[in-house]
Amino acid sequence: MNNLNVAKIQLNGNSYEINNGTNLNELLNKLKIQKNKVAIEVNGEIIEKNKYPNLILNKEDKVEIVHFIGGG
Amino acid sequence: MEDIFTIANKNFNSRLIVGTGKYKSFEETTNAVKASGADIVTVAVRRVNILDNGQPLLMDYLDPKSITYLPNTAGCYSSEEALRTLRLAREMGGWRLVKLEVLGDKKTLYPNIIETIKSTEILVKEGFEVMVYCTDDPIMTKKLEDVGACAIMPLGAPIGSGIGIQNKTNIVLIKEQSSVPVIVDAGVGTASDATIAMELGCDGVLLNTAIAEAQNPVLMAEAMKHAVIAGRKAFKAGRMEKKKYASASSPQRNLI
């Protein structure tokens, strides 16, 4: 059964369901991630932070959210 | 006497740069970094764990406003991967000073210098200040400087090996010919290795495993801090001449 209100995206390599019309700010809020601590790529393109509210995700979009971890 | 360490027109007090990987906890990372006195820490860029959100992050423990984050490209085996990683790092909060490493082999973690030079050139054109992990080959480090690297970071030995500087002659040659800072990156195992790097005239030392895998990382971090200072001072002081035979330290006159 297809639910018309949800869309599946690829989030950090895994399938993830979002409501249709979700923008990047809303996705971060849902994930409880602060935007000043991450960088986001959608379909291979880095998105500037001021564009998060206007970037509406579509089904099958490939989203990568990265942050800094310990490293040498 | 002031001895300021300058990279890409930014001044730092400590000549020791430390990694933040391989620690047991963020508390241990923080304590070791503090004990090391480092002003710059290397960090890696990785995917956020979506299932684990709300958990503390490195940034919650080490404030990037009070310590310089140096994003790295560890784990990248091509120019494309390295560029993507550093562009993401810059977007995260304006990081322009970065550490580039493009690896060539999983077993040795030796750098792929062809890809490294190519990546440096592109990053410099994009406005990055690029500190470059490289082999201890004076011809290659000259090429890196020519394409705009802001620091040359030859390995002393393979990453994580802890066997100390294997080719002192090359490190000295590289230092002599470079007009940007030369920082020994990788291979340091214990305090004396860091001292040797500084005694050879290097501008700084970058290390991670030597502290993180010590039995007591915080104590080793403190040892490294002193080792780098000792080596630097010894270099600046100018060591005595080496002699074949003994030379008595007490006066020979007026012996009883």
Side-chain angles (χ1 to χ4, degrees):
Chain A
M1 189 180 77
N2 279 334
N3 186 337
L4 295 174
N5 295 320
V6 298
K8 270 190 184 162
I9 59 166
Q10 284 289 313
L11 177 58
N12 285 2
N14 292 308
S15 181
Y16 188 83
E17 262 186 13
I18 55 164
N19 291 324
N20 271 331
T22 298
N23 67 39
L24 279 184
N25 262 352
E26 290 161 350
L27 177 68
L28 288 183
N29 286 340
K30 194 175 170 204
L31 294 169
K32 298 192 185 72
I33 292 171
Q34 291 170 262
K35 72 158 119 181
N36 61 347
K37 290 179 178 170
V38 296
I40 305 182
E41 214 183 62
V42 177
N43 302 326
E45 193 185 324
I46 295 171
I47 311 299
E48 290 169 35
K49 287 190 165 53
N50 58 18
K51 294 190 178 143
Y52 289 0
N54 300 324
L55 198 141
I56 312 288
L57 293 167
N58 297 306
K59 67 174 181 180
E60 285 164 32
D61 274 350
K62 285 191 174 62
V63 180
E64 292 284 346
I65 306 178
V66 300
H67 66 152
F68 287 133
I69 65 152
Chain B
M1 188 178 66
E2 268 204 316
D3 183 27
I4 299 295
F5 179 31
T6 307
I7 307 169
N9 298 317
K10 282 177 273 299
N11 293 335
F12 301 96
N13 289 313
S14 174
R15 291 175 178 271
L16 174 61
I17 301 173
V18 295
T20 54
K22 297 182 177 171
Y23 285 98
K24 291 183 196 79
S25 64
F26 283 134
E27 283 82 6
E28 193 181 71
T29 313
T30 314
N31 292 337
V33 168
K34 270 188 193 150
S36 77
D39 297 319
I40 305 175
V41 291
T42 58
V43 293
V45 176
R46 292 290 182 271
R47 282 174 168 167
V48 168
N49 185 348
I50 300 300
L51 303 172
D52 206 21
N53 53 40
Q55 291 293 311
L57 305 173
L58 182 67
M59 275 194 195
D60 299 326
Y61 284 83
L62 288 173
D63 183 0
K65 287 191 191 77
S66 53
I67 196 156
T68 298
Y69 270 37
L70 184 67
N72 72 20
T73 59
C76 293
Y77 284 84
S78 70
S79 181
E80 290 70 28
E81 288 167 13
L83 297 175
R84 181 187 184 196
T85 301
L86 293 179
R87 287 167 184 153
L88 279 164
R90 176 160 66 179
E91 172 52 30
M92 226 174 300
W95 278 268
R96 287 174 61 238
L97 185 67
V98 294
K99 170 182 164 177
L100 174 70
E101 62 178 274
V102 187
L103 302 173
D105 174 53
K106 285 197 161 67
K107 191 172 176 183
T108 59
L109 297 180
Y110 237 64
N112 178 334
I113 286 296
I114 297 163
E115 292 285 294
T116 303
I117 294 172
K118 196 168 94 182
S119 311
T120 304
E121 201 166 5
I122 296 169
L123 289 165
V124 168
K125 281 182 186 151
E126 290 183 14
F128 284 93
E129 310 276 11
V130 195
M131 300 172 71
V132 190
Y133 167 66
C134 55
T135 44
D136 58 357
D137 176 335
I139 307 302
M140 292 302 134
T141 59
K142 190 80 192 75
K143 293 253 183 249
L144 285 169
E145 201 181 326
D146 290 345
V147 296
C150 75
I152 302 294
M153 306 207 289
L155 49 80
I159 294 172
S161 66
I163 54 175
I165 298 175
Q166 297 299 296
N167 195 339
K168 294 181 195 170
T169 311
N170 279 18
I171 298 291
V172 171
L173 284 175
I174 290 166
K175 175 56 200 167
E176 275 176 6
Q177 67 170 30
S178 302
S179 53
V180 295
V182 174
I183 297 162
V184 164
D185 181 359
V188 168
T190 188
S192 53
D193 297 332
T195 303
I196 288 168
M198 298 308 293
E199 284 174 345
L200 293 175
C202 291
D203 299 279
V205 175
L206 195 164
L207 56 91
N208 188 157
T209 314
I211 294 177
E213 288 189 1
Q215 302 304 306
N216 183 336
V218 178
L219 194 55
M220 185 58 89
E222 201 183 334
M224 289 299 181
K225 171 185 170 175
H226 294 299
V228 167
I229 293 170
R232 177 67 180 173
K233 288 193 172 174
F235 170 72
K236 293 200 86 176
R239 61 154 298 143
M240 64 165 278
E241 196 186 325
K242 288 182 182 175
K243 303 181 191 101
K244 194 172 178 186
Y245 298 106
S247 160
S249 298
S250 304
Q252 302 301 297
R253 277 196 299 172
N254 300 331
L255 274 167
I256 54 168

